[in-house]
Amino acid sequence: MAEPHVTLNQPDLDPVPEKLREPLEEQLSSALQRATEVVSADYHGEGIDEVAARLIGETHAGLHPDIATAFQPDTARIHQVAAAIVHGH
C-alpha cells in the first residue's frame, strides 16, 4: 500500500500561510502515515467504516491539539486508506 499523503487545497493563500502549507502538509501526512501503521498492525477484522474512524482518531492523536481541531480530513480518501487496510489483511 502506498503511503497516504495529505494535500491542502486552498488556492488563494496569502504569502505567509502559503509558506506554512508545505510543513503543515508534511506534519499531517506523517500523522496519517503513523495512524495507518498503528491501525493496520492492530487490525482485527473490523469493517471499513470502523477502520476509517480509527484512522481519523489516530491521526488526530498524533497532532498538536490546535492542528487536530482544525484538521478536516477528506473522508473519501480516508475510506480508500481504510479499504486498503481491510483488503490487505
Side-chain angles (χ1 to χ4, degrees), residues 32-56:
L32 179 56
Q33 289 165 8
R34 177 72 181 130
T36 301
E37 292 169 6
V38 168
V39 171
S40 183
D42 192 41
Y43 178 73
H44 298 292
E46 302 91 349
I48 292 173
D49 289 339
E50 186 174 343
V51 172
R54 289 183 60 206
L55 283 169
I56 291 169

Side-chain angles (χ1 to χ4, degrees), residues 10-83:
Q10 292 184 289
D12 297 325
L13 291 177
D14 291 330
V16 172
E18 181 60 40
K19 287 181 182 180
L20 297 175
R21 181 193 311 248
E22 186 176 337
L24 183 55
E25 285 179 348
E26 288 177 15
Q27 183 176 9
L28 294 169
S29 294
S30 177
L32 179 56
Q33 289 165 8
R34 177 72 181 130
T36 301
E37 292 169 6
V38 168
V39 171
S40 183
D42 192 41
Y43 178 73
H44 298 292
E46 302 91 349
I48 292 173
D49 289 339
E50 186 174 343
V51 172
R54 289 183 60 206
L55 283 169
I56 291 169
E58 287 288 338
T59 300
H60 281 158
L63 295 168
H64 183 280
D66 292 337
I67 295 172
T69 300
F71 179 50
Q72 299 296 318
D74 178 346
T75 55
R77 180 68 181 125
I78 294 293
H79 274 83
Q80 288 175 344
V81 175

